[in-house]
Amino acid sequence: MADAYDYRAVEQKWQQRWDEQATFRAREDVEKQKYYALEMLPYPSGDLHVGHAKNYSLGDAIARMMRMLGYNVIHPMGWDAFGLPAENAAIAHGADPDKWTRANIANMQRQVRLMGTSYDWSREITTCEPEYYRWNQWLFLRLYEHGLAYKREAPVNWCPHDHTVLANEQVIDGRCWRCEHLVERRNLSQWFLKITEYADRLLDDLEKLDGWPERTRTMQRNWIGRSEGAQFTFAVENSEERISVFTTRLDTLFGATYLAVAPEHPTVSKIVTKKQRAAVEQFVQSLRSKSELERTSLMEKEGIFTGAYAINPLSHERVPIWVTNYVLAEYGTGAVMGVPAHDQRDFEFARKNALPAAMVVAPPGADVSAPLNEAFLEDGRLIASGDFTGMSSARARKAIADRLVALALGEPKVNYRLRDWLVSRQRYWGTPIPIVYCEKCGEVPVPDDQLPVLLPADVPITGEGSPLANDPAFSNTTCPTCGGPAKRESDTMDTFFESSWYYLRYLDPHNSGKPWDQEIARYWMPIDQYIGGAEHAVLHLLYSRFFYKFFHDRAWVTGADEPITRLFHQGMVLYNGEKMSKSRGNVIGIDEIVERRGVDAMRLFLLYVTPPEDTSDWTDEGINGRVRFVNRVWRACEPFLARARQADPRALPQVSADDEKALLRAVHVAAKSAVDETLSRRFHYNTTVAKLDEYVNALTTLEQRAPDSPAVAYAVHALPLIIAPFAPHLADELWEQLGHTTTVHLERYLEPDERALAVESITLVVQVNGKIRARLDVAPGISEDDAYALAIAQPPVQAQLDGKEIRKKIFVADKLLNIVA
RNA sequence: GGGGAAGUGGCGGAACGGUAGACGCAGCCGCCUCAAAAGCGGCCGGGCAACCCCCGUGAGGGUUCGAGUCCCUCCUUCCCUACCA
């Protein structure tokens, strides 16, 4: 036997050659249709595992397919390099975050290259480089100028032990993830981005995103949480204070039997009665330290009477004002009217605190005197509601709103669940926020020509307090306006800031004058296919849309005001049915697999196990089949290698034998599958790889019977073209050894040929009353009459019909004949 | 509590409303070999002695000439989201 396929040598050879020849360099070319293929920017955690590999195998197959289908493909890669793990490494074992991150990037970049991915490495970006994050700062200043970045006090998660602010995801069951102390809520001054100003557009434009998974759009819709209602005020008895509430159920206004306010509500301390003050203060104090999650999800509804009463603006009834844990200070007005009969939460609260319920909306004919077991949540007809009695809920909402407007007590109002994006982090490893505080001038933005504000090196990172605030060399500066002494902002940016616009920097990564050139962006944007996990369905993908709309409003980008046309969420890769994680110690890294089985086999396996959107299980046996496939391909082609070209894959040979025709058909079925799965954007390459199996099975079979058949030579010469996007190294090696001097990856893909796909005989299924009784091998296009004549000659068909009257015949051309008797 | 996706051989999975189980993994039998590995050929949902035939896509109903596929009810699993007034 000739030499076995040496995947190690071949894979290395082609990776080197693609690199040297810049095979996948992307250039603007107005003559060609562009295609922007992008996988989500990875965090450089240190090692590439098969989960990443699945993502990149898919993205790379798509990019290579589109390139071979004639598109001008841009396919870049980079590193989301700021973030907490680097700082944790510093705290845990004194690593320098910068060195630690760079070492990780170096290793992961090596591994991504090891996969043989067709990235244009000249566009690689690393977000912790000053060349990148200076544009973060620049963009922040533009947001600031437009009033979209602002500072205000906000409740944050504060760990009293570590003296630091925690992100929501670092609070586990109300405790600090690191020291496990109970987290407190503190009001601290924080930077926000006014994403809420774009809430309506972000919501409405979801309609346009028909290339996105419906569930992702739904999640964004829910996250934005637009709700239409009314805001109006209750007067407080014996006080000048007024309490504003928001409701979507104005029709239940006459059923309000109490008023509930959040513990942080500013009027609480003003209206509480002397008798209740101590108890209320104690209650508020006990909640102060509780996070929102704890209050709302983990605790029972609790509350305490303030002693004060409010007056219902229309019924003029006197209702008690309670402080409760279930009203959120951050949503609406921080106060709600309590309507136990028509809101389940209010119902539970009222029952617990012996507050009355008043039914004011009922379905027609309902017995309203019966005691309630739960709130009645539906619309109905109003009862016991003054002038509004008898109206439908919908009409009453309008009429009551009109009345409140007329009395100048309220107005229609739209509220959002979406809140402004808190972007400041009291951390070191991030982009410094380019703001200076001057004693005389106050808050001063750093002028553009002084960017970047460099992140200082050698700052002690202890996990206590803000590292930058504790560094006088960084903190002390002079005011850009008056030159007087000033302090720098010591907070850094949320890393989602970087990833909200990186896809634009890829297009023009070395521009030192601006973040990107608009003309270049005009050519490449929007992203035609974005691939990444569903875990980013809301945050990253919503922030990116927000930024892009802001850019669009500035005319920095043109065309559509959505950055991502089509989105695909690949499924996770499990191992032994479990999510891979470092803590479980079950992470399958790619180095060993690549070494032992080869990259092409790994890529083929990851595409083959499941449809790409499904969760797949890594198995050590499963890849065997793909290793065999790679070797079979090599052996099938071997007799033709290093010889003169014996066939042209663009010229279909004339053959006569059935198995020769079947082979030509298998070739084109596989090609058609690859093209269809790509252009339909279904990307079910698992079925394409199955058809490659059938192709190679047919090839090896015919090769044994008729090694000199032109069909064999043709199938061998077409094979590298067809497998190129899926097994790129093997493909280029075969292509070269079959006598070509240029890479297969810049060739046109094999165009599926109808002549090869056509079949000479089909199996027509004959059913009697829906059950299969015979199968006929006939020429395609057979008429119903001819088929019927053949069918009734079949003994099993005759037996079933047995003189019965034929009532109906169902004929599906080239498929089936159903005789109903 | 709300929203979404999905239930097909031992396993991963195929299947425009029209031959269920393509293709592969694992397993079994055979060939090759002194032997093993690799490779090649075959078998591989259940019932039956059986190539006939019958049953079979989570359960039950429905629509249809015909349902894994469409509709309704239920069960199970997974993911997301949770007091947003």
Side-chain angles (χ1 to χ4, degrees):
Chain A
M1 196 176 115
D3 298 336
Y5 177 57
D6 184 353
Y7 63 84
R8 289 191 190 90
V10 169
E11 288 171 354
Q12 202 193 349
K13 165 184 163 183
W14 287 101
Q15 285 168 20
Q16 223 166 55
R17 194 171 299 178
W18 297 333
D19 216 24
E20 285 162 11
Q21 302 190 345
T23 307
F24 305 114
R25 182 75 53 87
R27 292 182 181 81
E28 292 77 53
D29 178 355
V30 290
E31 300 298 308
K32 287 173 89 180
Q33 178 72 38
K34 68 92 184 179
Y35 189 84
Y36 192 168
L38 185 64
E39 291 103 62
M40 285 181 185
L41 187 74
Y43 178 80
S45 54
D47 254 303
L48 205 69
H49 56 73
V50 289
H52 294 107
K54 174 173 170 175
N55 190 188
Y56 305 150
S57 299
L58 176 64
D60 200 49
I62 294 169
R64 286 177 187 269
M65 274 304 298
M66 292 305 286
R67 206 179 278 120
M68 293 184 77
L69 289 170
Y71 290 81
N72 189 26
V73 172
I74 187 169
H75 191 215
M77 173 51 83
W79 311 100
D80 184 18
F82 274 136
L84 278 171
E87 243 169 293
N88 294 334
I91 295 162
H93 42 267
D96 173 37
D98 187 70
K99 288 201 186 93
W100 186 87
T101 303
R102 280 168 204 285
N104 282 352
I105 290 172
N107 189 50
M108 279 181 76
Q109 204 231 43
R110 173 189 66 78
Q111 292 176 307
V112 174
R113 284 172 181 273
L114 194 60
M115 282 191 61
T117 42
S118 66
Y119 294 114
D120 176 353
W121 288 105
S122 73
R123 296 171 183 273
E124 181 180 14
I125 57 176
T126 301
T127 60
C128 65
E129 298 280 3
E131 291 72 39
Y132 185 85
Y133 71 69
R134 71 170 295 179
W135 299 114
N136 268 351
Q137 294 171 339
W138 190 90
L139 290 170
F140 182 91
L141 293 170
R142 300 293 85 78
L143 288 161
Y144 182 80
E145 284 165 11
H146 287 88
L148 293 170
Y150 65 94
K151 199 171 195 187
R152 72 166 165 89
E153 284 229 327
V156 294
N157 302 306
W158 175 262
C159 173
H161 178 263
D162 288 354
H163 305 290
T164 188
V165 166
L166 301 171
N168 281 334
E169 55 271 24
Q170 291 160 351
V171 181
I172 299 157
D173 294 336
R175 289 172 185 274
C176 173
W177 64 319
R178 208 161 52 222
C179 67
E180 300 195 353
H181 281 75
L182 272 176
V183 166
E184 294 180 7
R185 272 158 68 91
R186 283 207 179 175
N187 282 322
L188 291 178
S189 200
Q190 300 287 322
W191 284 97
F192 289 87
L193 299 186
K194 220 180 220 172
I195 190 172
T196 51
E197 190 158 311
Y198 284 78
D200 271 322
R201 280 170 68 190
L202 290 168
L203 181 69
D204 294 344
D205 291 349
L206 286 169
E207 299 304 320
K208 296 192 218 163
L209 299 177
D210 53 6
W212 283 38
E214 188 52 50
R215 63 184 171 127
T216 304
R217 293 198 281 171
T218 303
M219 280 168 72
Q220 291 211 354
R221 254 179 229 119
N222 293 341
W223 187 268
I224 294 167
R226 183 186 150 101
S227 99
E228 289 181 29
Q231 191 167 312
F232 61 98
T233 56
F234 281 70
V236 179
E237 193 181 52
N238 303 322
S239 164
E240 293 299 301
E241 293 294 324
R242 302 189 147 268
I243 295 176
S244 210
V245 301
F246 173 76
T247 183
T248 55
R249 291 298 306 275
L250 209 48
D251 53 320
T252 65
L253 175 57
F254 284 76
T257 54
Y258 66 99
L259 211 61
V261 302
E264 289 83 2
H265 199 281
T267 55
V268 170
S269 58
K270 296 179 193 158
I271 60 169
V272 63
T273 58
K274 221 177 235 162
K275 197 175 153 215
Q276 291 294 93
R277 182 168 293 273
V280 168
E281 275 174 3
Q282 201 205 334
F283 179 71
V284 170
Q285 188 59 39
S286 75
L287 286 176
R288 176 157 299 154
S289 63
K290 301 277 197 282
S291 68
E292 191 172 287
L293 177 91
E294 256 192 304
R295 288 189 204 183
T296 57
S297 302
L298 308 173
M299 291 174 72
E300 288 258 313
K301 288 179 181 56
E302 283 171 12
I304 188 158
F305 180 40
T306 59
Y309 289 85
I311 306 299
N312 184 313
L314 294 189
S315 73
H316 308 295
E317 265 178 83
R318 189 170 173 262
V319 294
I321 303 171
W322 286 65
V323 178
T324 70
N325 63 347
Y326 77 95
V327 174
L328 307 173
E330 291 287 296
Y331 182 78
T333 62
V336 299
M337 61 178 193
V339 186
H342 302 291
D343 183 287
Q344 190 57 27
R345 296 157 301 184
D346 297 346
F347 180 85
E348 287 166 24
F349 183 78
R351 172 172 277 189
K352 191 166 171 189
N353 294 288
L355 289 160
M359 186 106 179
V360 292
V361 174
D367 173 15
V368 296
S369 61
L372 283 171
N373 288 318
E374 57 180 359
F376 175 70
L377 303 176
E378 328 253 300
D379 277 5
R381 204 155 282 282
L382 269 68
I383 54 175
S385 297
D387 299 349
F388 307 96
T389 300
M391 289 184 184
S392 70
S393 287
R395 215 180 127 215
R397 280 194 283 270
K398 178 84 179 74
I400 293 174
D402 288 347
R403 180 76 58 87
L404 290 168
V405 170
L407 296 169
L409 289 172
E411 57 191 358
K413 168 98 182 173
V414 175
N415 253 316
Y416 299 90
R417 210 188 80 108
L418 180 72
R419 303 187 196 164
D420 278 343
W421 173 12
L422 199 167
V423 282
S424 46
R425 297 290 128 94
Q426 291 69 43
R427 313 211 153 269
Y428 167 71
W429 194 234
T431 304
I433 292 174
I435 296 286
V436 162
Y437 301 101
C438 170
E439 286 164 28
K440 273 189 242 152
C441 313
E443 191 177 280
V444 181
V446 174
D448 288 354
D449 59 13
Q450 293 176 26
L451 298 182
V453 176
L454 284 172
L455 189 64
D458 301 322
V459 171
I461 297 160
T462 58
E464 291 187 20
S466 164
L468 294 182
N470 295 337
D471 180 21
F474 174 84
S475 201
N476 297 323
T477 187
T478 52
C479 171
T481 307
C482 71
K487 291 269 186 198
R488 281 196 191 281
E489 170 63 66
S490 60
D491 284 358
T492 54
M493 296 183 200
D494 180 2
T495 59
F496 278 117
F497 196 106
E498 287 95 87
S499 55
S500 295
W501 68 279
Y502 76 103
Y503 46 88
L504 284 158
R505 186 65 180 172
Y506 277 142
L507 307 180
D508 192 14
H510 308 296
N511 195 326
S512 56
K514 44 185 167 178
W516 65 84
D517 180 273
Q518 326 176 7
E519 284 308 307
I520 294 175
R522 181 201 297 274
Y523 178 74
W524 289 113
M525 286 303 288
I527 297 163
D528 292 281
Q529 187 66 58
Y530 198 28
I531 306 172
E535 66 274 16
H536 293 109
V538 175
L539 298 176
H540 164 56
L541 290 165
L542 192 64
Y543 296 151
S544 295
R545 295 180 58 221
F546 160 48
F547 268 39
Y548 203 74
K549 288 187 186 301
F550 172 70
F551 303 156
H552 195 270
D553 290 349
R554 308 277 85 70
W556 300 339
V557 295
T558 45
D561 64 349
E562 286 287 340
I564 301 155
T565 308
R566 286 179 290 270
L567 172 68
F568 191 93
H569 295 307
Q570 89 281 3
M572 287 186 303
V573 181
L574 306 180
Y575 186 54
N576 294 330
E578 287 187 316
K579 211 168 172 169
M580 287 186 288
S581 72
K582 277 188 178 166
S583 57
R584 281 202 185 86
N586 64 347
V587 176
I588 306 294
I590 71 152
D591 285 341
E592 194 196 337
I593 296 160
V594 169
E595 169 62 22
R596 285 180 30 233
R597 323 317 297 274
V599 173
D600 286 335
M602 179 182 79
R603 293 174 51 135
L604 284 165
F605 176 64
L606 290 168
L607 291 175
Y608 184 61
V609 244
T610 50
E613 67 272 24
D614 288 2
T615 302
S616 32
D617 232 309
W618 178 264
T619 66
D620 299 313
E621 297 82 41
I623 195 173
N624 287 347
R626 297 306 100 200
V627 173
R628 278 178 208 141
F629 172 82
V630 166
N631 290 328
R632 275 160 67 79
V633 166
W634 183 258
R635 276 196 306 275
C637 296
E638 209 160 29
F640 295 83
L641 298 181
R643 287 159 63 176
R645 248 182 267 177
Q646 294 184 23
D648 176 359
R650 312 290 180 195
L652 200 64
Q654 292 286 327
V655 292
S656 50
D658 283 349
D659 54 358
E660 291 178 313
K661 287 178 183 164
L663 174 56
L664 296 186
R665 183 155 193 279
V667 172
H668 285 266
V669 164
K672 183 168 163 38
S673 170
V675 173
D676 288 352
E677 290 301 334
T678 305
L679 296 180
S680 70
R681 295 172 223 119
R682 210 169 73 118
F683 307 132
H684 282 199
Y685 293 129
N686 54 322
T687 61
T688 303
V689 175
K691 289 178 169 77
L692 292 174
D693 275 332
E694 296 186 64
Y695 175 171
V696 175
N697 288 345
L699 171 58
T700 51
T701 306
L702 185 62
E703 204 169 15
Q704 280 173 29
R705 183 186 75 76
D708 298 326
S709 163
V712 169
Y714 174 82
V716 165
H717 285 261
L719 193 47
L721 276 177
I722 296 180
I723 65 173
F726 315 107
H729 311 83
L730 174 64
D732 239 349
E733 182 67 14
L734 290 173
W735 191 246
E736 185 182 58
Q737 294 216 29
L738 288 169
H740 300 270
T741 52
T742 52
T743 175
V744 72
H745 299 291
L746 300 179
E747 292 288 323
R748 285 300 286 251
Y749 204 69
L750 187 81
E751 192 174 335
D753 190 325
E754 287 305 324
R755 291 169 303 163
L757 292 166
V759 286
E760 286 180 347
S761 124
I762 51 109
T763 303
L764 189 84
V765 172
V766 180
Q767 297 181 334
V768 178
N769 294 330
K771 285 197 176 277
I772 296 160
R773 297 300 170 185
R775 295 179 174 87
L776 306 173
D777 282 328
V778 296
I782 186 172
S783 71
E784 179 172 347
D785 289 345
D786 291 350
Y788 181 70
L790 282 170
I792 55 170
Q794 301 289 315
V797 176
Q798 277 173 358
Q800 289 297 324
L801 291 175
D802 189 29
K804 288 179 199 149
E805 187 193 347
I806 310 262
R807 291 191 313 189
K808 205 173 181 183
K809 283 180 276 185
I810 313 285
F811 182 69
V812 181
D814 294 345
K815 286 274 182 193
L816 131 159
L817 175 67
N818 186 11
I819 303 167
V820 185

